[in-house]
Amino acid sequence: MNIQIKTKSLTALRFEPFGDILDCSGPPDKIINGGYCKRYHNRARLDFNNGEVGISFFHAKPRSLPYEFNMLERHPEGSQAFIPLSPNPFLVIVAQNRNNHPTNPVAFLTKPNQGVNIHRGIWHGVLTPLTEPGIFAVIDQIGQNENLEERWLNFSYEVILP
Amino acid sequence: MNIQIKTKSLTALRFEPFGDILDCSGPPDKIINGGYCKRYHNRARLDFNNGEVGISFFHAKPRSLPYEFNMLERHPEGSQAFIPLSPNPFLVIVAQNRNNHPTNPVAFLTKPNQGVNIHRGIWHGVLTPLTEPGIFAVIDQIGQNENLEERWLNFSYEVILP
């Protein structure tokens, strides 16, 4: 049996329990470069042990809707930010935690020119671009500790448009 | 008097004295997500005091070639990475240091789907996208220390295509 969930648009209020939206919303914090550039300062709550942070790249195959999933994962060792090298929206699946198991998954569709930072320990789906080329910069923990927990769900979920 | 410099394509060998190219070149370090995603691990030499790193956004007005400049800057407090939220090439100007003054500026044109990480203390130009929307994620130092030195050059330079 598949449980259908409809995508929600990504808003700061809805996403606040799970992470940060990374974008240029609101007024800039500073105008730099002789007026040519707006700086939106320090938009992510980065959270790492001992500053073990790095910039990596993920190149993921695009998925399409309806999108089915039955596994979520979390990273105990730190936050994980995804910045698309494309203005195209992508799918962000997150879930609440109950007894060390993900529950009530929510599927967000980003707006153009947005990334996300998923907070430490938050259950989330694998990276799901919806368009080529599916290339993202990823700012996450790069130390040697095991940093991945995966959970298979009791049901399969199917993400559809509203 | 304007000194003309021609753009060079960005290669690891040429850019090595100034910073890191951030992209998916070479074989992936890991295949994740059941084969759907390639991870290119830890591509930037991040360099900050006390882990004072953040993700900010820059929204810069696009420039066009020929592009004239007579100022370069550097950041004594840490490295600065630029990740475009667009696959489009942008202009990266860097220079050598002589007696705390920039010398021999070089202008690189990135390839599609590339960012750069400019190392601590390297002289560089302001952010110069060549296309709309000119939005970049920036991973740099977010502490309270003064972190900008600017130098006006003895000549104006004009960047042209080869």
Side-chain angles (χ1 to χ4, degrees), chain B residues 2-161:
Chain B
N2 277 355
I3 299 177
Q4 287 194 326
I5 56 177
K6 292 177 178 174
T7 60
K8 292 177 193 282
S9 66
L10 189 61
T11 65
L13 188 64
R14 284 177 180 155
F15 201 59
E16 193 276 334
F18 309 109
D20 313 299
I21 300 175
L22 306 180
D23 65 10
C24 295
S25 59
D29 298 283
K30 206 170 177 181
I31 307 289
I32 59 174
N33 301 345
Y36 275 88
C37 188
K38 300 175 201 167
R39 180 173 178 125
Y40 300 82
H41 190 64
N42 201 17
R43 295 262 150 160
R45 202 175 86 199
L46 297 183
D47 178 16
F48 303 105
N49 303 327
N50 310 315
E52 292 183 320
V53 54
I55 302 176
S56 299
F57 273 64
F58 282 13
H59 188 176
K61 290 180 194 164
R63 312 299 182 99
S64 54
L65 299 179
Y67 168 71
E68 200 178 315
F69 68 96
N70 64 354
M71 193 275 289
L72 293 173
E73 61 182 46
R74 66 179 178 181
H75 306 298
E77 296 293 323
S79 54
Q80 187 174 45
F82 295 95
I83 295 160
L85 271 77
S86 129
N88 299 338
F90 61 102
L91 194 61
V92 178
I93 298 170
V94 287
Q96 296 171 28
N97 181 60
R98 190 164 53 200
N99 301 326
N100 284 318
H101 206 84
T103 186
N104 296 335
V106 189
F108 291 106
L109 203 55
T110 63
K111 296 187 188 75
N113 301 306
Q114 285 186 328
V116 294
N117 180 49
I118 293 175
H119 289 162
R120 184 197 289 247
I122 293 294
W123 294 110
H124 61 279
V126 300
L127 182 59
T128 38
L130 299 172
T131 55
E132 293 285 359
I135 297 175
F136 293 71
V138 178
I139 292 89
D140 69 354
Q141 192 262 3
I142 46 103
Q144 295 304 311
N145 287 354
E146 180 57 48
N147 190 24
L148 175 64
E149 291 181 63
E150 294 176 321
R151 288 286 189 284
W152 275 261
L153 309 170
N154 296 327
F155 309 98
S156 278
Y157 288 83
E158 187 181 56
V159 179
I160 58 172
L161 289 173

Side-chain angles (χ1 to χ4, degrees), chain A residues 113-129:
Chain A
N113 300 307
Q114 285 186 328
V116 294
N117 180 49
I118 294 174
H119 290 162
R120 184 197 291 246
I122 293 294
W123 294 109
H124 62 278
V126 300
L127 183 59
T128 38

Side-chain angles (χ1 to χ4, degrees), chain A residues 68-156:
Chain A
E68 200 179 314
F69 68 96
N70 64 355
M71 192 276 289
L72 293 173
E73 61 182 47
R74 66 179 178 181
H75 306 297
E77 296 293 323
S79 53
Q80 188 174 46
F82 296 95
I83 295 159
L85 272 75
S86 127
N88 298 340
F90 62 102
L91 193 62
V92 178
I93 297 169
V94 287
Q96 295 171 29
N97 180 60
R98 189 164 55 200
N99 302 325
N100 284 319
H101 206 85
T103 186
N104 295 335
V106 189
F108 291 105
L109 202 56
T110 63
K111 297 188 188 77
N113 300 307
Q114 285 186 328
V116 294
N117 180 49
I118 294 174
H119 290 162
R120 184 197 291 246
I122 293 294
W123 294 109
H124 62 278
V126 300
L127 183 59
T128 38
L130 299 172
T131 54
E132 293 284 359
I135 297 174
F136 293 71
V138 177
I139 292 88
D140 68 356
Q141 192 261 3
I142 46 101
Q144 295 302 311
N145 287 354
E146 180 57 48
N147 190 23
L148 175 64
E149 291 180 63
E150 293 176 321
R151 289 284 189 286
W152 274 261
L153 308 170
N154 296 326
F155 309 99
S156 278

